[in-house]
Amino acid sequence: MQIFIFSKKNLFFSFFIICIISIILFSSLSFAANFYNTNISPSNFTEDISNITKQKEKIAYLTFDDGPSLVTPKILDILGNENVKASFFVIGKYVEAHPEIVKRAYEEGHYIANHTYSHNNSILYKSSESFVNEVKRTDLLIGEAIGVEGYCSLIFRFPNGFMSPKYKRQKKEAVNLLSQMNYAYIDWNCLNNDSVKKYSPSQLLDNLKQSSKNKDTLVILMHDTKDVSNSSLALEDSIEYLKSQGYSFRNFYSLVDDLK
Ligand SMILES: [Zn+2]
């Protein structure tokens, strides 16, 4: 059995094989470690995101749009007290204004997702370049705020939502651009209508009760902006209500973590 004889030649060959295996292992480990700061996202992720509300489990994904603002820290305090992790769809120009708030949200375990740089549809849909720039610039600013170079948020939400009839044709084109950049987009299936800006905290809670009725997995739209700050006043009661209805809370890390 010549093969088991440790000649110099065999030793060199074994060393060579070990080196190759180490290089392969090391590369795959660094791929995993760098997942958040690359543009790589396995294709089933987009599918998981679009099917999220079809799950039959009682899970609530709280999402806050249009921040960060001075209301965001109040929301973070409540989420912390309630031990709930949420997802924030941030606007790039406000990330620029309040990077420390985004950093705090990220460090407290909340998911930071992309909601364009300007939230201005006429700039966003001016051209393909403009759309791509709005997305990438926002992730760049998030990365700078949280100290993660090359941060890729992977999840995008259209201003006014994909489902709204505004800019329908442009949004369909934008979906292709998002998929080329390996982003998934998501709307919501439950809301308290805080953006209408006329409801008291107790009315917001009633709206949420109505909107969540007979639904299993909820993706809930709220806003963490100054002019819609009543959502922060209704938040504690809203979380307590959802808990009493048997919902557990998750953020989008639960989907991203499945990929690792
Ligand atoms: Zn928005």
Side-chain angles (χ1 to χ4, degrees):
M1 294 288 280
Q2 286 252 326
I3 199 163
F4 291 112
I5 297 167
F6 277 94
S7 67
K8 270 188 185 171
K9 197 176 161 191
N10 278 348
L11 268 174
F12 177 77
F13 184 68
S14 313
F15 179 67
F16 179 71
I17 294 294
I18 288 167
C19 283
I20 294 290
I21 291 170
S22 307
I23 288 167
I24 292 168
L25 270 176
F26 182 73
S27 322
S28 51
L29 282 175
S30 16
F31 166 76
N34 284 324
F35 179 75
Y36 291 109
N37 48 19
T38 66
N39 280 338
I40 299 161
S41 105
S43 56
N44 63 346
F45 176 62
T46 314
E47 214 168 292
D48 287 351
I49 282 278
S50 52
N51 289 330
I52 196 168
T53 55
K54 292 179 192 151
Q55 293 175 77
K56 292 290 165 212
E57 281 173 282
K58 285 193 122 183
I59 299 165
Y61 292 85
L62 278 180
T63 67
F64 294 92
D65 283 16
D66 297 357
S69 77
L70 297 178
V71 172
T72 315
K74 288 185 201 161
I75 288 174
L76 292 173
D77 288 345
I78 297 166
L79 294 173
N81 289 340
E82 296 285 340
N83 196 24
V84 166
K85 304 294 180 204
S87 304
F88 288 84
F89 284 90
V90 296
I91 295 177
K93 64 179 178 180
Y94 299 141
V95 176
E96 224 164 19
H98 305 289
E100 70 295 343
I101 298 178
V102 179
K103 189 170 195 276
R104 180 184 159 192
Y106 176 74
E107 286 176 352
E108 291 180 6
H110 304 292
Y111 195 99
I112 313 296
N114 195 313
H115 196 41
T116 75
Y117 177 80
S118 67
H119 205 277
N120 179 330
N121 286 330
S122 56
I123 299 174
L124 184 63
Y125 302 119
K126 201 167 74 183
S127 63
S128 300
E129 291 74 27
S130 183
F131 182 85
V132 169
N133 182 46
E134 286 262 335
V135 175
K136 293 209 160 167
R137 192 174 173 194
T138 301
D139 269 5
L140 189 72
L141 288 162
I142 298 171
E144 281 171 12
I146 65 176
V148 176
E149 206 182 321
Y151 179 80
C152 178
S153 60
L154 298 170
I155 304 176
F156 176 83
R157 179 174 279 163
F158 288 93
N160 322 109
F162 182 76
M163 66 180 114
S164 97
K166 291 180 191 168
Y167 293 88
K168 205 81 201 165
R169 180 182 58 79
Q170 290 89 337
K171 280 189 278 195
K172 277 187 184 157
E173 285 168 23
V175 167
N176 291 330
L177 296 171
L178 286 171
S179 105
Q180 282 163 26
M181 293 188 283
N182 292 312
Y183 283 74
Y185 71 91
I186 189 162
D187 276 350
W188 55 88
N189 67 341
C190 178
L191 77 176
N192 64 3
N193 261 320
D194 59 355
S195 62
V196 178
K197 300 175 193 174
K198 66 172 188 186
Y199 296 112
S200 68
S202 67
Q203 286 171 318
L204 288 174
L205 178 60
D206 286 342
N207 293 346
L208 180 78
K209 287 179 181 175
Q210 209 52 41
S211 177
S212 59
K213 222 175 195 172
N214 303 321
K215 289 177 187 162
D216 292 320
T217 294
L218 304 171
V219 176
I220 302 168
L221 171 68
M222 292 187 187
H223 293 82
D224 57 327
T225 52
K226 265 191 284 182
D227 56 341
V228 191
S229 58
N230 272 354
S231 254
S232 70
L233 301 173
L235 184 58
E236 203 175 320
D237 289 343
S238 302
I239 292 172
E240 290 304 329
Y241 169 74
L242 291 165
K243 283 181 178 171
S244 76
Q245 298 300 302
Y247 286 94
S248 61
F249 291 85
R250 283 189 199 162
N251 65 16
F252 297 131
Y253 278 124
S254 62
L255 297 176
V256 171
D257 287 346
D258 284 349
L259 301 172
K260 286 193 272 178

